[in-house]
Amino acid sequence: MVQSNGAELTEHEAELYDRQIRLWGLDSQKRLRSARILISCINGLGAEIAKNIILAGVKSVTLLDDRKVTEEDYCSQFLAPQSSLGTNRAEASLARAQNLNPMVELKVDTAALDTKEDAYFKEFDVVCLIGASTAQHLRVNTVCREANVKFFATDVWGMYGFCFADLQKHEFAEDVTKYVVVSKPHEKPKSESVSSTVKCTLEFPPYQCLVDFDFRDASYARRLQRNGPALPIQRVLQKFRDQEQRDPAYAKRVEDLTKLLQLRDTLAPEIISDQSFDHVFAQISPVAAIVGGVVAHEIIKVVSQKERPHRNVFLFNPDSCCGFVDLIGAEM
């Protein structure tokens, strides 16, 4: 849990964050001001998350990425200028990211995710992985659970997006509104709304529950019919990444479509259509903005301990152009 550690906002910070303080309170802003966030992979989705987190006024954000800026990044990565083609993506994003909020401490780490020791992740309050393999998700999530670090795994493939959150045991404050009858006997019934702040606690399962979840089980059929095949499609795309050690590439479109459909036939032949993978070859800017906005908002809620977080999977369904929250591996 993020603690404010007695940190006080300067006069300039109080002025800059005045709207946020009015929205969620001074104590919540102090918690934000003390939070250390790690964002691994600064692609289009990572840039959106970083932008919103930096503007919220956290203590520090570390941008971890060992990859180079490519032409594919032009689709959605707005922090790295096109003149930075071929340079490290995190380093190329630093200047524009810092300009968003000079009072946030930004750090760049150009090492690969797999080279980081377990102790590295324990230095943060929130760890957010993007573009990671299942093995990387499981490993980092286990480390985060040991150190009580909040963990997010998120991705965008073309028009599809998802986010998984493991907050372990999370405490937060929630405003509850009740209607109280204020009219006297024999008068026309009259009521007023009364708001009160309630302390709540939620338990979150680890990432392993998402890996083990069987979306073909009969108990999930109704939710699958209502929400669409976004979760099975996510599973196929994640499986492709695990096997090929990369995401589907436009330069190999025909070859990769064949592999995706083969995985579809193995995992969910009757659920996913042949056209589902037509647009998964680059992160599309509007989808990255939607998913990135949701993930950043969840991180802000978790750090500030204000409002009920999503529990525990967010999915964006391109067929309906809507996002929805699904509960996987936890009790209602």
Side-chain angles (χ1 to χ4, degrees), residues 181-246:
V181 177
V182 296
S183 56
K184 297 179 181 180
H186 310 299
E187 290 184 347
K188 183 178 180 180
K190 181 181 179 181
S191 62
E192 292 182 354
S193 61
V194 178
S195 296
S196 60
T197 301
V198 179
K199 185 177 180 179
C200 305
T201 303
L202 287 175
E203 294 277 356
F204 286 73
Y207 187 84
Q208 185 69 53
C209 77
L210 182 63
V211 176
D212 296 338
F213 182 74
D214 185 4
F215 53 79
R216 294 165 295 191
D217 190 272
S219 61
Y220 191 68
R222 182 174 295 179
R223 281 192 282 171
L224 193 62
Q225 184 178 12
R226 180 177 68 247
N227 297 327
L231 181 59
I233 290 173
Q234 182 272 335
R235 182 71 60 83
V236 170
L237 290 165
Q238 186 70 49
K239 191 73 172 179
F240 180 96
R241 176 184 294 163
D242 293 341
Q243 291 186 356
E244 303 297 324
Q245 298 184 348
R246 61 175 177 85

Side-chain angles (χ1 to χ4, degrees), residues 129 132-142 151 153 155 207 238:
L129 299 190
S133 67
T134 299
Q136 290 170 330
H137 285 146
L138 293 172
R139 179 221 163 190
V140 176
N141 183 218
T142 299
F151 172 83
D155 264 302
Y207 187 84
Q238 186 70 49

Side-chain angles (χ1 to χ4, degrees), residues 72 75-76 156-159 248 250 279-285:
E72 182 180 311
C75 296
S76 57
V156 165
W157 292 272
M159 292 291 290
Y250 187 78
H279 306 290
V280 298
F281 298 95
Q283 292 198 347
I284 299 175
S285 183

Side-chain angles (χ1 to χ4, degrees), residues 39-177:
I39 302 175
S40 174
C41 185
I42 313 303
N43 52 16
L45 177 59
E48 289 286 353
I49 296 171
K51 174 198 69 176
N52 291 296
I53 296 298
I54 293 167
L55 289 174
V58 297
K59 175 180 176 61
S60 67
V61 176
T62 298
L63 309 177
L64 173 65
D65 200 331
D66 66 325
R67 300 181 184 182
K68 306 295 184 181
V69 178
T70 66
E71 292 184 352
E72 182 180 311
D73 288 314
Y74 298 166
C75 296
S76 57
Q77 219 287 20
F78 55 87
L79 290 179
Q82 294 191 8
S83 59
S84 64
L85 184 68
T87 64
N88 179 268
R89 193 159 53 183
E91 291 180 332
S93 303
L94 180 61
R96 290 182 176 179
Q98 190 68 78
N99 287 336
L100 293 170
N101 190 344
M103 288 191 290
V104 174
E105 180 184 356
L106 294 187
K107 303 175 184 178
V108 165
D109 193 329
T110 60
L113 178 63
D114 284 337
T115 65
K116 294 301 181 183
E117 300 290 337
D118 291 355
Y120 176 80
F121 303 101
K122 298 177 181 180
E123 298 176 358
F124 301 95
D125 298 298
V126 177
V127 169
C128 180
L129 299 190
I130 306 165
S133 67
T134 299
Q136 290 170 330
H137 285 146
L138 293 172
R139 179 221 163 190
V140 176
N141 183 218
T142 299
V143 175
C144 289
R145 290 184 71 85
E146 293 174 353
N148 194 29
V149 175
K150 309 304 183 185
F151 172 83
F152 288 84
T154 182
D155 264 302
V156 165
W157 292 272
M159 292 291 290
Y160 290 91
F162 102 105
C163 172
F164 172 88
D166 177 13
L167 312 181
Q168 297 103 55
K169 185 177 181 180
H170 180 61
E171 297 178 351
F172 61 97
E174 185 176 35
D175 293 331
V176 177
T177 301

Side-chain angles (χ1 to χ4, degrees), residues 28-49:
S28 294
Q29 188 63 45
K30 287 181 179 179
R31 293 189 187 98
L32 277 169
R33 194 67 185 93
S34 301
R36 301 157 300 172
I37 315 296
L38 170 66
I39 302 175
S40 174
C41 185
I42 313 303
N43 52 16
L45 177 59
E48 289 286 353
I49 296 171

